[in-house]
Amino acid sequence: QVQLVESGGGLVQAGGSLRLSCAASRNIFSFSSMGWYRQAPGKQRELVAIISSGGSTNYADSVKGRFTISRDNAKNTVYLQMNSLKAEDTGVYYCNAVEPAFGVGSRVYWGQGTQVTVSS
């Protein structure tokens, strides 16, 4: 098992920046990928950004060029740098980790979420 703890959310004006952190309770070397998802009120949870164990990244079209995902294996932490924030970026942001598991395919872990509110 692993616990993922997000931090860094808050209230920011449109055009501002925030950096989210996701700290894992143990080393993240075994995770094939880690990512950030968000859920706006009344909407389904959606992928924002993902980073593989090899460092490859992928972003939702809506955040490309504005958000950057990174990981620090030494600190067992994944970050999401969010710049040029828009009102539509508002939502609860969740950290996600996927770990290959022999016999069951993979295990998926989620954090508790951190609220990001962008005022227009």
Side-chain angles (χ1 to χ4, degrees), residues 8-18 20 82 85-87 90-91 114-120:
L11 174 64
V12 64
Q13 288 188 334
S17 298
L18 283 174
L20 305 183
M82 305 186 294
L85 282 161
K86 305 176 181 179
T90 294
T114 185
Q115 177 71 44
V116 172
T117 303
V118 184
S119 62
S120 57

Side-chain angles (χ1 to χ4, degrees), residues 12-85:
V12 64
Q13 288 188 334
S17 298
L18 283 174
R19 187 175 84 152
L20 305 183
S21 299
C22 171
S25 57
R26 58 173 171 82
N27 75 70
I28 61 175
F29 289 106
S30 62
F31 298 146
S32 58
S33 69
M34 296 189 73
W36 289 94
Y37 290 70
R38 68 186 179 192
Q39 188 166 17
K43 295 187 177 180
Q44 289 187 333
R45 191 174 297 188
E46 63 175 356
L47 174 68
V48 175
I50 192 168
I51 185 167
S52 73
S53 56
S56 299
T57 58
N58 197 19
Y59 298 91
D61 287 342
S62 60
V63 307
K64 283 180 180 176
R66 300 188 297 122
F67 290 11
T68 302
I69 188 171
S70 61
R71 60 192 288 168
D72 186 335
N73 290 338
K75 295 184 178 180
N76 300 328
T77 301
V78 172
Y79 303 97
L80 184 68
Q81 178 66 44
M82 305 186 294
N83 298 327
S84 302
L85 282 161

